Amino acid sequence: MTPGKKLQGLVAATITPMTPDGQINLSVIHQYVDYLVREQNVKNVFVNGTTGEGLSLNIQERKQLAEEWVSQGKDKLDHVIIHVGALSLPESQELARHAAAIGASGIAVIAPFFFKPTNKDELIAFLQEVASEAPAVPFYYYHIPLLTGVKIRVEGLLDGIKERIPTFQGVKFSDMDLLDLAQCINKNKREQFAFLYGVDEQLLSALAIGADGAVGSTYNYLGQKNNLMLQAFAKPDLVLARKYQ
């Protein structure tokens, strides 16, 4: 991994490989890493998130996956971000401590989605309790209101968040509310937070308002195409970028 390098560009939300009898198949992750790097030119991963069905796995399985991705990604991947969110605060804290111990590049947390926080202070309090267990690890909020039902606007969440969570580095923004995303980006230019968009089907729209990159499932197998879109957008050649989108 590359310490201190800003998280940007494409981040593959990794799929959890399974054997036919439902056990985690750790043996193929080294091939998975090589495939992402060599075939898709993707050097960042987001492990145990939605695509990886992290919340359907037990704590031990999540730890094993995190360890294998960090181990196999050494000297090959730029960032291995581990999603450590859980309904149980102690479990989320345990996963955060584990991610720090194995050398993860960062951790991410979704909002609790059964007994939901009703305002930004409650949500930040939960995130703070998790982040504090890994005080040297970059922290990202994973905003996915379609699945969590927590629709607290990220723009408001960012007010003073660095004072509460010193390790806060940015947001995985998996929502179609591009106005909220645009206001986040506009508001925090000086903070240098990373805003990674999480709705693959409209990434180009997010790039147009200033997203730093994207986290998603399709970058596992359409990384090359999406990298070409990023390059076209940067030129800028919007006609070509739209073609790739």
Side-chain angles (χ1 to χ4, degrees):
M1 276 80 78
T2 310
K5 185 175 181 180
K6 184 177 180 180
L7 182 59
Q8 58 188 355
L10 298 182
V11 183
T14 60
I15 298 159
T16 298
M18 294 281 189
T19 63
D21 62 352
Q23 301 300 308
I24 291 175
N25 188 359
L26 297 174
S27 67
V28 300
I29 291 178
H30 73 282
Q31 296 171 272
Y32 197 161
V33 170
D34 288 343
Y35 169 78
L36 287 174
V37 173
R38 296 174 186 172
E39 303 296 326
Q40 300 301 333
N41 193 26
V42 172
K43 295 185 178 181
N44 306 302
V45 295
F46 188 92
V47 179
N48 289 334
T50 304
T51 300
E53 302 174 274
L55 288 158
S56 298
L57 304 173
N58 64 42
I59 293 290
Q60 189 57 35
E61 289 171 326
R62 292 176 70 171
K63 287 182 177 180
Q64 289 173 335
L65 281 162
E67 289 171 10
E68 194 67 15
W69 275 102
V70 169
S71 173
Q72 296 298 334
K74 186 177 181 182
D75 300 325
K76 294 181 180 180
L77 299 174
D78 289 337
H79 293 274
V80 178
I81 309 299
I82 307 297
H83 173 247
V84 301
L87 288 179
S88 162
L89 175 57
E91 286 187 359
S92 191
Q93 290 173 315
E94 180 180 343
L95 288 168
R97 289 192 296 270
H98 176 262
I102 64 174
S105 317
I107 58 173
V109 176
I110 59 167
F113 54 86
F114 189 75
F115 293 114
K116 300 176 180 63
T118 58
N119 57 61
K120 70 173 187 177
D121 290 331
E122 291 179 356
L123 177 53
I124 290 175
F126 180 88
L127 301 177
Q128 184 180 22
E129 289 291 328
V130 180
S132 64
E133 295 297 314
V137 181
F139 180 87
Y140 300 87
Y141 169 52
Y142 180 7
H143 179 61
I144 185 164
L146 183 66
L147 292 183
T148 63
V150 177
K151 299 178 181 180
I152 298 166
R153 285 175 62 81
V154 180
E155 181 204 4
L157 193 72
L158 296 178
D159 287 330
I161 197 166
K162 266 287 194 181
E163 286 70 40
R164 301 279 300 275
I165 305 174
T167 52
F168 182 83
Q169 294 293 311
V171 180
K172 179 183 186 290
F173 193 102
S174 296
D175 188 22
M176 292 186 177
D177 186 352
L178 290 174
L179 176 59
D180 187 16
L181 177 62
Q183 289 174 329
C184 288
I185 292 167
N186 183 63
K187 188 179 205 175
N188 288 280
K189 287 177 181 175
R190 288 177 294 180
E191 293 284 2
Q192 303 255 316
F193 295 149
F195 293 96
L196 289 304
Y197 196 57
V199 184
D200 305 13
E201 299 87 340
Q202 57 183 49
L203 171 57
L204 183 56
S205 301
L207 293 175
I209 57 174
D212 297 291
V215 183
S217 57
T218 64
Y219 312 132
N220 284 289
Y221 54 91
L222 290 174
Q224 286 285 16
K225 293 288 187 184
N226 279 278
N227 274 315
L228 289 171
M229 181 174 70
L230 294 181
Q231 292 168 20
F233 176 77
K235 279 184 178 180
D237 184 341
L238 292 181
V239 173
L240 182 58
R242 283 198 298 268
K243 176 184 175 183
Y244 285 123
Q245 179 72 86

